[in-house]
Structure formats: C-alpha cells, structure tokens
C-alpha cells in the first residue's frame, strides 16, 4: 500500500476522476476510480479502500444511497466518506452527513483543500484502526493470561489438596488446610523440632517465581519484609523455599475467625464493638506507618479475631508485607486492575487506583471502608464482585452515601466520612483514628 493510503474516487464525470486522481497521486496516494454508484459498491466490497471521495449526482445510484449502503455493510462501515459535490445547499450537506459522510467539499474544488481534508481523515482512520488492532491484541493477551492463571490455579489447587502430610525442609509437617486467600493456602502445621503448632502459608506461583534471582530475593528478604514487631500483627516465625520449590511462610497459629465471618453473621456491628476491633488495627498501622511501612491490603479477611489460650480476644492483622515479599509491583488503573493492583478494589483508596503516590493514609481509607461496612452492613460502593473496574471507578468518582439510615453519634459518622475522603490530606492518620476509636470504646 502506498504511504498515504488508498482512495476510491466515485464520480460519473471522467474528467473529474482524472483531475482528482492526479491531485491525490501527487501526494503518493494510491487511487482507484468508479464511474457509478453500483461500481463503487462492488469495488469497496471486494477491495476496501482507506477513504472514499463520493459525488452525489450519479445516474444509477446517487451518492446518498451509496453512502447509506456503505455504512450498512460491516466490511465498509468504518471507511471515511468525503462527499465532493456541486450541491452546496445546507439541506444537501445535512442529508449527506445523515447518510454517514464525515466531510463535505463543494465543486469546483481547490486541490489544497481536498488534500488537507483527505489527509486529516485518513490519519484519523489509521489511528482508529491501530487502536482497534491494539485493543484486539490486548483482549487476546488478557484472555491468554486468564487461561494461564486458570491453569495455574488448577495446578495449585491440586497441589494444595495433596500437601497434607508433606514435610517442608524436614522442619514443618503440613496437616489440615485451614484457609485459602489471594496469595495462597494456609495449613495447620507442626514445627517438628520444637513440636510446636504453627500455621504455614504456601504461596501460589507469582510472576517471575521461576527466576532464580526472584527466589533468592524471597529467601533474602523473607523475615525482614514481613515481620512487624507489634502485638496486633501476626508473628512471622520463618520463611523459605523448600527443596521442591514451594515458597512458604511460617506464622503463629491463630484460633478464632476473621472479621469477614463476623460481618456475615452479625450484619451490623455496634460502634463500641467496632472500636474494640479496629482500635488495635489502627494502633498497629500507626506504628507501621511511622516506620515507613504501608500494608496496602487492609480488609475484613485480613483482620483476625484470635482467641488466646486464656480465652481473651486479640485482634491480629494478617498478610503484612506479603505483597512486598513476593515482589508485587503496582501499576495505574489504565494498565490492568486485577493483575498488578495489590488489594481488593472495594477497599483500595482512590489515589492508588489512579496510580498516584500514596502513604499511610491509603490504609486509613481502607479502615474507613471497613468501619462504614461494619456500622451499616454494606460497602460504600456496593458493586458486583466480578466488576472490579466499576468498583474502582466508583471509589474514584463518587462520594459514599451518607449513613443516614443508621443511628450514630455525630462524631462517629464524621470520622467515617473523613476516613473516606478522596483527598488523602483530609483523612485522619492512623494515630488519630486510634485515639478516636479508643474514645468510643
């Protein structure tokens, strides 16, 4: 194809065809000609051009009908049509545009005008085709990724089902499976040397996990990346990759259930109980933020209500530092939400969804979402789980509905709405939330 593209000229006047052809060839366009509407339709159907210059007054099929048929045929629908006609009444122009034309040039025409308009519309057409091609490639890539992830998930599920009884590195015997999350599966296990019950999280394969440098990084950064010295953060005891290539994390064994389970059974939770649960969470986050650490995945599944051997309740935050441990790298929403974003969209703050810089107030926003959910029994943006992109857009663009249907003290509702502010600087810090929640309790 010529550098400028292919143009089909449709005109029953041979002199016009020749003149327009010479003008277009002077700019390296490839030119085809048709002396009638029916001939033009046949040419366009068999060898679609990049652009059509169309006269209106022709003996067999006028230009309006030709344009309508072109736009009706999926094979030619997207080809830009520029009408070039001696009819210069506004009603003729409106009729041409209604038939599907993108531009209108009156005769006698000026060569520079024709070249300018042809060039502009051809450029737009080429850009549109490039965009459609890239979208098709992206859809194909996403489908291949989805299929690969599904295969990985099936393999991992089969592996997890077969793991009970396995001994990792001659140190940890995996017993029953007690939980499954976004990063992997958790087993009740025994540390053989000390005969101590522990929990072992076996990780799903992640991107780059087959790279020796990535595995070495996992070994090197294991404990330092995950461990946070706070009573409300789950204790990490060990981390490694077994001789068979299984990446694992050893943690204290917790007894009890997650905040998610409590929400499912209770629906709504009283403000004082919310404060008992989220106060320790915020206190732990305050210490982490002061150390320059951000959790990034605060949600009910990662808040555990642990029953101590004495029968007391101890709130524990799970999965702190896991994202960093496995080398997750976030990208803006415009890339791919589900593949690169660390966190569950309903609980992720607007600045992270937009690919902007963030700090500890990203976790504060997540706590605000949980607090809203605990008090009202619903999420601020209750959207289908499968529609992660819609949930993300709602968090960026919409304000959360007021808690008007829940009887709450004014200071409680004020704190919730402050935590859910779109602008991070308007949110309270984790330390400020800790103080407010302690006042409620």
């Amino acid at each position: 194809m010529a550098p400028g593209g292919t143009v089909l000229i449709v005109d029953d006047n041979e002199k016009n065809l020749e003149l327009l052809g010479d003008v277009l060839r002077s700019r390296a366009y490839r030119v085809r000609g048709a002396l009638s509407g029916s001939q033009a339709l046949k040419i366009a159907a068999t060898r679609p051009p990049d652009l059509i210059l169309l006269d209106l007054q022709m003996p067999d099929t006028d230009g309006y009908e030709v344009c309508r048929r072109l736009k009706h045929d999926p094979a030619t629908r997207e080809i830009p049509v520029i009408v070039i006609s001696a009819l210069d009444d506004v009603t003729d122009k409106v009729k041409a545009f209604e038939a599907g034309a993108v531009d209108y040039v009156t005769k006698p025409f000026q060569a520079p005008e024709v070249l300018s308009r042809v060039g502009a519309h051809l450029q737009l057409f080429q850009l549109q085709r490039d965009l459609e091609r890239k979208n098709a490639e992206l859809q194909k890539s996403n489908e291949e990724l989805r299929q690969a992830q599904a295969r990985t998930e099936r393999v991992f599920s089969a592996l997890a089902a077969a793991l009970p009884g396995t001994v990792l590195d001659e140190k940890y015997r995996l017993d029953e499976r007690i939980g499954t999350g976004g990063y992997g599966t958790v087993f009740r296990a025994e540390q053989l040397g000390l005969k101590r019950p522990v929990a072992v999280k076996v990780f799903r394969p992640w991107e780059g996990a087959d790279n020796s440098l990535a595995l070495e990084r996992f070994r090197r950064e294991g404990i330092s990346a995950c461990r946070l010295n706070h009573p409300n953060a789950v204790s990490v005891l060990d981390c490694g990759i077994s001789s068979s290539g299984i990446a694992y994390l050893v943690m204290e064994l917790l007894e009890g259930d997650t905040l998610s389970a409590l929400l499912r059974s209770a629906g709504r939770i009283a403000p004082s109980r919310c404060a008992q649960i989220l106060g320790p969470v915020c206190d732990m986050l305050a210490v982490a933020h002061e150390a320059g650490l951000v959790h990034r995945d605060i949600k009910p599944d990662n808040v555990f209500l642990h029953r101590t051997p004495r029968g007391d309740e101890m709130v524990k935050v799970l999965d702190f530092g896991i994202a960093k441990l496995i080398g997750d790298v976030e990208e803006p929403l415009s890339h791919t939400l589900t593949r690169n974003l660390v966190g569950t969209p309903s609980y992720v703050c607007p600045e992270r969804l937009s690919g902007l810089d963030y700090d500890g107030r990203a976790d504060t926003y997540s706590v605000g979402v949980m607090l809203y959910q605990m008090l009202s029994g619903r999420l601020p943006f209750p959207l289908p789980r499968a529609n992660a992109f819609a949930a993300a857009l709602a968090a960026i663009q919409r304000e959360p509905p007021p808690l008007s249907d829940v009887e709450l003290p004014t200071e409680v509702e004020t704190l919730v709405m402050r935590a859910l502010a779109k602008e991070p600087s308007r949110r309270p810090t984790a330390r400020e939330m800790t103080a407010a929640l302690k006042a409620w309790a």
Side-chain angles (χ1 to χ4, degrees), residues 275-307:
Q276 290 174 351
I277 296 172
L278 296 185
V281 172
C282 289
D283 186 62
M284 185 278 299
L285 289 174
V287 173
H289 296 166
E290 288 161 7
L293 303 173
V294 182
H295 188 289
R296 298 195 292 174
D297 198 16
I298 293 293
K299 59 183 179 181
D301 282 338
N302 279 339
V303 176
F304 198 92
L305 308 180
H306 171 54
R307 289 192 303 273

Side-chain angles (χ1 to χ4, degrees), residues 1 46 53 56 62 70 92 96 131 207 217 254 316 352:
M1 185 175 70
T46 55
L53 276 175
L56 292 178
D62 67 31
L70 288 169
D92 299 311
L131 180 60
E207 187 174 358
R217 178 184 179 277
L254 303 178
K316 294 280 188 175
R352 287 187 55 220

Side-chain angles (χ1 to χ4, degrees), residues 2 76 91 149 158 229 259 265 290 315 343 349 358 367 373 375 382 388 436:
T76 57
T91 56
Q149 289 174 334
N229 187 20
L259 176 56
S265 62
E290 288 161 7
V315 178
C349 63
Y358 60 90
V367 173
Q373 184 180 11
L375 292 168

Side-chain angles (χ1 to χ4, degrees), residues 54 56 62-72 77 81 83 92-102:
L54 178 63
L56 292 178
D62 67 31
Y64 301 115
E65 181 61 22
V66 171
C67 195
R68 279 190 288 267
R69 292 188 189 181
L70 288 169
K71 297 304 171 182
H72 183 73
R77 182 180 299 153
V81 177
V83 168
D92 299 311
K93 296 178 181 179
V94 170
K95 188 177 177 182
F97 288 127
E98 290 176 345
V102 297

Side-chain angles (χ1 to χ4, degrees), residues 263-280:
L263 281 167
R264 286 193 295 270
S265 62
R268 295 181 180 181
I269 300 175
S272 58
R273 178 67 172 138
C274 292
Q276 290 174 351
I277 296 172
L278 296 185

